[in-house]
């Protein structure tokens, strides 16, 4: 049975480098794995930041596309309304012209009949 170490001896032995080459390799491998793990965590954080930025940009793009699509639809509806108004006004103008021509023909006939009676 080994004699029990004092508190001071325990602290000293923990801070001393490992004595065997195998335990030195284990310590180096642990340090390398810890460094690699920290590097992976850092890369994951960067990936998450890029993913968040990508999502934000996509959402902004979708919102702008929706805005401009609605704007285009509103303008197309306005153009369609103007086209219908132009068609209506053109029809009313032609109708008024026909009515005017009919009234003019009637007035000419009446005028001719009246003066025909007077001079005839």
């Amino acid at each position: 049975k080994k004699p029990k170490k004092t508190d001071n001896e325990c602290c000293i032995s923990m801070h001393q480098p490992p004595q065997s080459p195998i335990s030195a390799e284990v310590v180096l491998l642990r340090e390398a794995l810890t460094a690699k793990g920290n590097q992976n965590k850092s890369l994951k954080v960067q990936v998450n930041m890029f993913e968040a930025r990508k999502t934000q940009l996509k959402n902004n793009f979708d919102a702008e596309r929706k805005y401009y699509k609605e704007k285009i639809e509103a303008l197309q509806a306005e153009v369609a309304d103007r086209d219908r108004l132009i068609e209506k006004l053109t029809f009313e103008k032609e109708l008024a012209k026909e009515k005017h021509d009919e009234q003019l023909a009637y007035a000419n006939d009446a005028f001719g009949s009246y003066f025909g009676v007077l001079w005839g």
Side-chain angles (χ1 to χ4, degrees):
K1 193 172 185 182
K2 291 185 179 181
K4 193 173 184 182
K5 293 182 180 181
T6 64
D7 287 340
N8 195 24
E9 289 175 321
C10 285
C11 292
I12 293 170
S13 66
M14 286 187 344
H15 295 291
Q16 291 176 347
Q19 301 301 321
S20 72
I22 292 175
S23 55
E25 283 183 40
V26 169
V27 169
L28 289 174
L29 285 172
R30 280 186 186 153
E31 289 175 358
L33 285 173
T34 301
K36 194 66 168 173
N38 291 340
Q39 184 183 19
N40 285 344
K41 286 178 188 175
S42 175
L43 289 173
K44 284 180 184 176
V45 168
Q46 287 179 352
V47 167
N48 289 340
M49 286 174 28
F50 285 124
E51 288 293 328
R53 181 69 179 141
K54 182 178 96 174
T55 301
Q56 181 185 19
L57 289 173
K58 183 185 178 302
N59 291 343
N60 290 347
F61 176 75
D62 289 344
E64 284 187 28
R65 181 173 44 187
K66 181 181 177 189
Y67 168 79
Y68 286 114
K69 182 180 178 186
E70 290 172 354
K71 195 81 164 163
I72 288 169
E73 289 171 355
L75 289 172
Q76 287 173 335
E78 193 175 316
V79 167
D81 288 346
R82 286 183 183 168
D83 288 346
R84 282 192 293 276
L85 181 61
I86 288 170
E87 286 177 18
K88 180 182 175 190
L89 291 174
T90 302
F91 176 75
E92 288 176 0
K93 178 183 171 187
E94 290 173 5
L95 196 62
K97 186 178 182 299
E98 287 175 14
K99 190 172 183 180
H100 179 264
D101 289 347
E102 287 175 5
Q103 289 174 345
L104 194 57
Y106 177 78
N108 281 338
D109 289 344
F111 187 74
S113 296
Y114 178 75
F115 283 105
V117 168
L118 287 178
W119 292 324

